[in-house]
């Protein structure tokens, strides 16, 4: 993986998985052994909440009160964990959980999630499948859906939902009309879609994915969900033509767009589009700089702490 994309990946994973839980670990960022040791502890702590591999439980699901999308984020985190540490402890559990949730059409649309599944929820599972493809995670058996095909299926179903009738584009938060939030377009749904489009462009070399990534970013800017300082706001309702912006800022929005923008830098470089690469590089830098100002608090670099500003006190 190119070094630039590698750095953005690490930052994006951290932002996508940020939460309000507080736990102390003895961590030395200058030591590879320390990094792997803390990662192992984190993975074990995460898996202490998971029972989907036990008899009578459902693979891929976390117990209440955790949502289906959070289980998808967990699967993606476990794939990242294996890739960066080489520890295969959770690989079988991860593969089992991923494949159990693909649904009858192999697009992460399981019927038992129709009461809660939004575009962002589906997107988290699609991003996990994309990571599995990029990292060459252990492949499913022949006859089972493969990682790249799963990521592409999520992208295809979401591209078909791009809604130009309201707000001149964008994805709604919810997929089904009966769910609260169907009248809302939010940044995390766009972030997941953009993330997939950009990474599929880089992985396949197909320019149509890059066009969708550009289209999504441009729409976010047009409706001012991304402002001139690269701050990303939660979303707005279709009834007000997406002008009643909810100003909450969440780190996972930045994480999704950051990794996608980094992938667009690499795609543009490979396609010999140096002007485009420069534009996307500027956006990566803008997101990173904005993130440091918004989500990290402290007097200096040595004691800064990351918080979720929308729901934690500074």
């Amino acid at each position: 993986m190119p070094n630039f994309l590698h750095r953005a990946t690490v930052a994006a994973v951290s932002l996508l998985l940020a939460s309000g839980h507080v736990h102390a670990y003895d961590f030395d960022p200058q030591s590879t052994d320390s990094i792997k040791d803390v990662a192992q502890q984190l993975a074990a702590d995460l898996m202490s909440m998971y029972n989907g591999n036990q008899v009578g439980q459902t693979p891929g699901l976390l117990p209440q009160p955790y949502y289906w999308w959070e289980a998808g984020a967990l699967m993606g985190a476990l794939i990242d964990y294996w890739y960066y540490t080489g520890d295969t402890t959770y690989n079988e559990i991860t593969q089992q959980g991923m494949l159990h949730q693909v649904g009858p059409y192999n697009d992460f649309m399981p019927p038992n999630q129709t009461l809660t599944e939004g575009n962002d929820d589906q997107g988290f599972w699609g991003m996990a499948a994309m990571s599995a493809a990029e990292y060459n995670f252990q492949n499913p058996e022949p006859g089972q859906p493969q990682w790249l095909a799963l990521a592409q299926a999520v992208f295809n179903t979401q591209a078909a939902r791009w809604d130009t009738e309201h707000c001149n584009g964008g994805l709604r938060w919810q997929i089904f009309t009966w769910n609260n939030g169907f009248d809302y377009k939010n940044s995390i749904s766009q972030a997941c879609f953009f993330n997939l489009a950009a990474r599929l462009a880089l992985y396949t070399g197909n320019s149509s994915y890059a066009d969708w990534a550009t289209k999504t970013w441009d729409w976010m800017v047009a409706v001012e969900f991304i402002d001139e300082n690269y701050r990303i706001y939660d979303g707005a309702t279709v009834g007000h033509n997406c002008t009643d912006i909810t100003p909450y800022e969440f780190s996972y929005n930045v994480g999704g767009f950051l990794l996608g923008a980094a992938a667009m830098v690499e795609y543009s470089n490979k396609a010999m589009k140096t002007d485009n690469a420069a534009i996307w590089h500027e956006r990566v830098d803008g997101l990173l700089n904005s993130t440091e100002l918004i989500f990290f608090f402290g007097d200096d670099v040595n004691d800064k702490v990351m918080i979720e500003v929308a729901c934690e006190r500074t």
Side-chain angles (χ1 to χ4, degrees):
M1 178 181 295
N3 190 45
F4 177 80
L5 184 56
H6 170 85
R7 294 197 305 272
T9 299
V10 173
V13 167
S14 299
L15 292 165
L16 283 165
L17 296 177
S19 72
H21 297 292
V22 177
H23 187 89
Y25 297 92
D26 186 11
F27 177 60
D28 177 6
Q30 304 302 319
S31 166
T32 299
D33 289 340
S34 176
I35 293 170
K36 289 187 176 182
D37 180 62
V38 171
Q40 186 178 47
Q41 294 177 59
L42 284 165
D45 286 344
L46 282 171
M47 293 308 290
S48 71
M49 300 184 289
Y50 180 79
N51 60 11
N53 60 318
Q54 297 175 10
V55 176
Q57 302 299 322
T58 304
L61 294 187
L62 284 163
Q64 294 293 332
Y66 298 102
Y67 291 101
W68 185 67
W69 75 265
E70 292 173 301
L74 171 63
M75 296 297 136
L78 291 173
I79 292 168
D80 286 320
Y81 170 73
W82 156 76
Y83 179 77
Y84 286 108
T85 68
D87 183 1
T88 62
T89 299
Y90 307 110
N91 284 18
E92 291 297 330
I93 293 173
T94 303
Q95 185 186 73
Q96 178 195 43
M98 290 280 290
L99 295 178
H100 196 83
Q101 294 298 320
V102 297
Y105 301 108
N106 296 334
D107 56 4
F108 290 111
M109 293 282 290
N112 63 346
Q113 295 300 326
T114 55
L115 293 179
T116 60
E117 182 174 1
N119 280 302
D120 51 349
D121 304 69
Q122 184 193 24
F124 269 89
W125 286 89
M127 290 188 295
M130 192 68 231
S131 293
E134 291 167 335
Y135 296 155
N136 196 25
F137 185 66
Q138 62 182 52
N139 292 311
E141 295 293 327
Q144 292 184 305
Q146 303 298 302
W147 305 128
L148 177 61
L150 286 168
Q152 289 173 314
V154 172
F155 171 85
N156 290 337
T157 60
Q158 296 199 345
R161 298 185 197 121
W162 187 263
D163 173 30
T164 56
E165 184 178 351
H166 303 90
C167 311
N168 199 35
L171 295 174
R172 292 174 182 261
W173 176 17
Q174 295 298 320
I175 297 170
F176 303 105
T177 57
W178 55 79
N179 287 337
N180 290 332
F182 183 73
D183 64 344
Y184 194 73
K185 293 189 177 182
N186 62 345
S187 291
I188 188 57
S189 294
Q190 323 309 322
C192 294
F193 182 62
F194 168 80
N195 183 292
L196 271 179
R199 293 163 69 187
L200 283 167
L202 176 59
Y203 190 90
T204 67
N206 187 330
S207 63
S208 63
Y209 292 123
D211 292 342
W212 271 106
T214 300
K215 182 177 183 177
T216 305
W217 180 280
D218 289 347
W219 181 83
M220 287 284 295
V221 172
V223 295
E224 299 182 352
F225 287 5
I226 298 178
D227 73 11
E228 65 276 9
N229 296 314
Y230 294 96
R231 300 183 73 150
I232 303 178
Y233 304 108
D234 186 70
T237 63
V238 299
H240 289 84
N241 199 36
C242 292
T243 60
D244 56 334
I245 294 176
T246 303
Y248 298 142
E249 296 177 74
F250 296 102
S251 60
Y252 68 173
N253 287 324
V254 182
F257 277 102
L258 176 59
L259 180 53
M264 288 300 291
V265 173
E266 297 303 324
Y267 167 79
S268 300
N269 282 329
K270 285 189 173 182
M272 305 297 289
K273 299 179 179 180
T274 55
D275 290 344
N276 284 353
I279 290 170
W280 285 110
H281 201 301
E282 179 181 338
R283 291 168 177 174
V284 169
D285 289 341
L287 288 169
L288 283 172
N289 293 336
S290 178
T291 296
E292 183 177 1
L293 293 174
I294 298 165
F295 296 105
F296 289 85
F297 286 80
D299 295 330
D300 56 46
V301 174
N302 293 325
D303 69 356
K304 282 192 174 183
V305 175
M306 184 178 180
I307 72 166
E308 197 66 67
V309 293
C311 51
E312 290 185 278
R313 292 184 179 181
T314 60

